[in-house]
Short mmCIF file of all heavy atoms in Angstrom, two decimals:
data_model
loop_
_atom_site.label_atom_id
_atom_site.label_comp_id
_atom_site.label_asym_id
_atom_site.label_seq_id
_atom_site.Cartn_x
_atom_site.Cartn_y
_atom_site.Cartn_z
N ARG A 24 66.82 27.74 -73.76
CA ARG A 24 66.17 29.00 -73.40
C ARG A 24 65.90 29.86 -74.63
O ARG A 24 64.87 30.54 -74.70
CB ARG A 24 67.06 29.76 -72.43
CG ARG A 24 66.39 30.94 -71.76
CD ARG A 24 67.34 31.62 -70.78
NE ARG A 24 67.76 30.74 -69.70
CZ ARG A 24 67.04 30.50 -68.61
NH1 ARG A 24 65.86 31.08 -68.45
NH2 ARG A 24 67.48 29.69 -67.67
N ARG A 61 66.89 35.90 -83.68
CA ARG A 61 66.59 37.33 -83.86
C ARG A 61 67.10 37.78 -85.24
O ARG A 61 68.27 38.22 -85.35
CB ARG A 61 67.31 38.15 -82.78
CG ARG A 61 66.74 38.01 -81.38
CD ARG A 61 65.54 38.92 -81.23
NE ARG A 61 64.92 38.83 -79.94
CZ ARG A 61 65.13 39.69 -78.93
NH1 ARG A 61 65.94 40.70 -79.07
NH2 ARG A 61 64.47 39.54 -77.80
N GLU A 64 68.97 41.18 -85.63
CA GLU A 64 70.28 41.21 -84.97
C GLU A 64 71.27 40.29 -85.71
O GLU A 64 72.46 40.62 -85.81
CB GLU A 64 70.12 40.80 -83.49
CG GLU A 64 69.23 41.80 -82.74
CD GLU A 64 68.79 41.34 -81.35
OE1 GLU A 64 69.60 40.76 -80.62
OE2 GLU A 64 67.61 41.57 -81.00
N LYS A 78 87.78 41.92 -94.29
CA LYS A 78 88.37 43.06 -94.99
C LYS A 78 89.76 42.74 -95.52
O LYS A 78 90.55 42.08 -94.85
CB LYS A 78 88.48 44.19 -93.95
CG LYS A 78 88.77 45.55 -94.50
CD LYS A 78 88.86 46.53 -93.31
CE LYS A 78 89.36 47.87 -93.81
NZ LYS A 78 89.67 48.75 -92.66
N SER A 148 89.81 46.10 -74.92
CA SER A 148 88.85 45.11 -74.42
C SER A 148 88.60 45.26 -72.93
O SER A 148 87.47 45.08 -72.47
CB SER A 148 89.39 43.70 -74.71
OG SER A 148 88.49 42.71 -74.27
N GLU A 156 96.74 59.05 -75.46
CA GLU A 156 97.66 59.38 -76.54
C GLU A 156 98.93 58.54 -76.46
O GLU A 156 99.50 58.16 -77.48
CB GLU A 156 98.00 60.86 -76.51
CG GLU A 156 96.92 61.75 -77.09
CD GLU A 156 96.55 61.35 -78.52
OE1 GLU A 156 97.46 61.26 -79.37
OE2 GLU A 156 95.35 61.11 -78.77
N ASP A 170 94.25 53.64 -89.79
CA ASP A 170 93.22 52.69 -90.22
C ASP A 170 93.42 51.31 -89.59
O ASP A 170 92.46 50.65 -89.20
CB ASP A 170 93.22 52.58 -91.75
CG ASP A 170 92.04 53.32 -92.35
OD1 ASP A 170 90.95 53.29 -91.75
OD2 ASP A 170 92.22 53.94 -93.41
N TRP A 173 92.19 51.61 -86.01
CA TRP A 173 90.73 51.51 -85.96
C TRP A 173 90.30 50.05 -86.05
O TRP A 173 89.46 49.58 -85.27
CB TRP A 173 90.08 52.33 -87.09
CG TRP A 173 88.58 52.24 -87.14
CD1 TRP A 173 87.83 51.13 -87.44
CD2 TRP A 173 87.64 53.28 -86.87
NE1 TRP A 173 86.49 51.43 -87.39
CE2 TRP A 173 86.34 52.73 -87.04
CE3 TRP A 173 87.77 54.63 -86.52
CZ2 TRP A 173 85.18 53.50 -86.86
CZ3 TRP A 173 86.61 55.39 -86.35
CH2 TRP A 173 85.35 54.82 -86.51
N ASP A 174 90.90 49.31 -86.98
CA ASP A 174 90.54 47.89 -87.12
C ASP A 174 90.81 47.12 -85.83
O ASP A 174 89.98 46.32 -85.39
CB ASP A 174 91.34 47.24 -88.26
CG ASP A 174 90.75 47.54 -89.64
OD1 ASP A 174 89.69 48.20 -89.73
OD2 ASP A 174 91.36 47.13 -90.64
N ARG A 187 79.88 38.55 -74.96
CA ARG A 187 78.80 38.67 -73.98
C ARG A 187 77.54 37.92 -74.45
O ARG A 187 76.88 37.24 -73.68
CB ARG A 187 78.52 40.15 -73.69
CG ARG A 187 79.60 40.73 -72.76
CD ARG A 187 79.68 42.23 -72.75
NE ARG A 187 80.69 42.68 -71.80
CZ ARG A 187 82.01 42.68 -72.06
NH1 ARG A 187 82.49 42.28 -73.21
NH2 ARG A 187 82.85 43.10 -71.12
N ARG B 24 92.20 62.27 -85.39
CA ARG B 24 92.82 61.02 -85.83
C ARG B 24 91.92 60.27 -86.83
O ARG B 24 92.40 59.65 -87.76
CB ARG B 24 93.08 60.14 -84.61
CG ARG B 24 93.96 58.97 -84.88
CD ARG B 24 94.22 58.17 -83.61
NE ARG B 24 94.92 58.96 -82.60
CZ ARG B 24 96.24 59.12 -82.58
NH1 ARG B 24 97.00 58.56 -83.51
NH2 ARG B 24 96.80 59.83 -81.62
N ARG B 61 83.57 54.96 -91.52
CA ARG B 61 83.53 53.58 -91.99
C ARG B 61 82.10 53.21 -92.37
O ARG B 61 81.34 52.72 -91.53
CB ARG B 61 84.00 52.63 -90.88
CG ARG B 61 85.48 52.68 -90.56
CD ARG B 61 86.25 51.84 -91.56
NE ARG B 61 87.67 51.86 -91.34
CZ ARG B 61 88.36 50.92 -90.67
NH1 ARG B 61 87.73 49.90 -90.13
NH2 ARG B 61 89.67 51.01 -90.56
N GLU B 64 80.57 49.77 -91.33
CA GLU B 64 80.40 49.65 -89.88
C GLU B 64 79.27 50.56 -89.40
O GLU B 64 78.50 50.19 -88.51
CB GLU B 64 81.72 49.95 -89.17
CG GLU B 64 82.80 48.92 -89.56
CD GLU B 64 84.21 49.30 -89.12
OE1 GLU B 64 84.36 49.79 -87.99
OE2 GLU B 64 85.16 49.11 -89.92
N SER B 148 77.53 43.11 -68.57
CA SER B 148 78.52 44.10 -68.99
C SER B 148 79.90 43.84 -68.38
O SER B 148 80.92 44.01 -69.04
CB SER B 148 78.04 45.50 -68.60
OG SER B 148 78.96 46.48 -69.02
N GLU B 156 72.64 29.96 -64.19
CA GLU B 156 71.21 29.68 -64.06
C GLU B 156 70.60 30.47 -62.90
O GLU B 156 69.45 30.88 -62.96
CB GLU B 156 70.97 28.18 -63.88
CG GLU B 156 71.05 27.40 -65.18
CD GLU B 156 70.10 27.93 -66.24
OE1 GLU B 156 68.89 28.03 -65.97
OE2 GLU B 156 70.58 28.27 -67.35
N ASP B 170 62.42 36.62 -73.79
CA ASP B 170 62.68 37.64 -74.80
C ASP B 170 63.15 38.95 -74.17
O ASP B 170 64.04 39.62 -74.70
CB ASP B 170 61.42 37.89 -75.64
CG ASP B 170 61.55 37.26 -77.02
OD1 ASP B 170 62.67 37.29 -77.59
OD2 ASP B 170 60.55 36.72 -77.52
N TRP B 173 66.78 38.42 -73.22
CA TRP B 173 67.65 38.58 -74.40
C TRP B 173 67.89 40.06 -74.67
O TRP B 173 69.02 40.49 -74.89
CB TRP B 173 67.03 37.90 -75.63
CG TRP B 173 67.83 38.07 -76.90
CD1 TRP B 173 68.04 39.23 -77.59
CD2 TRP B 173 68.53 37.05 -77.61
NE1 TRP B 173 68.83 38.98 -78.70
CE2 TRP B 173 69.14 37.65 -78.74
CE3 TRP B 173 68.69 35.67 -77.41
CZ2 TRP B 173 69.90 36.93 -79.66
CZ3 TRP B 173 69.45 34.94 -78.34
CH2 TRP B 173 70.05 35.58 -79.45
N ASP B 174 66.81 40.85 -74.64
CA ASP B 174 66.96 42.28 -74.90
C ASP B 174 67.91 42.94 -73.89
O ASP B 174 68.77 43.73 -74.27
CB ASP B 174 65.60 42.99 -74.82
CG ASP B 174 64.78 42.83 -76.10
OD1 ASP B 174 65.27 42.25 -77.08
OD2 ASP B 174 63.62 43.29 -76.11
N ARG B 187 83.39 51.06 -76.16
CA ARG B 187 84.81 50.91 -76.52
C ARG B 187 85.14 51.73 -77.76
O ARG B 187 86.19 52.38 -77.83
CB ARG B 187 85.13 49.42 -76.71
CG ARG B 187 85.26 48.72 -75.35
CD ARG B 187 85.17 47.23 -75.42
NE ARG B 187 85.37 46.64 -74.09
CZ ARG B 187 84.43 46.60 -73.13
NH1 ARG B 187 83.23 47.10 -73.34
NH2 ARG B 187 84.71 46.09 -71.95
#
Side-chain angles (χ1 to χ4, degrees):
Chain A
R24 192 179 298 278
R61 288 278 178 98
E64 297 168 41
K78 193 180 171 190
S148 181
E156 282 304 306
D170 255 322
W173 177 294
D174 280 356
R187 283 162 178 79
Chain B
R24 192 178 298 276
R61 289 278 179 98
E64 297 169 41
S148 181
E156 281 304 305
D170 254 323
W173 178 292
D174 280 356
R187 283 163 177 78

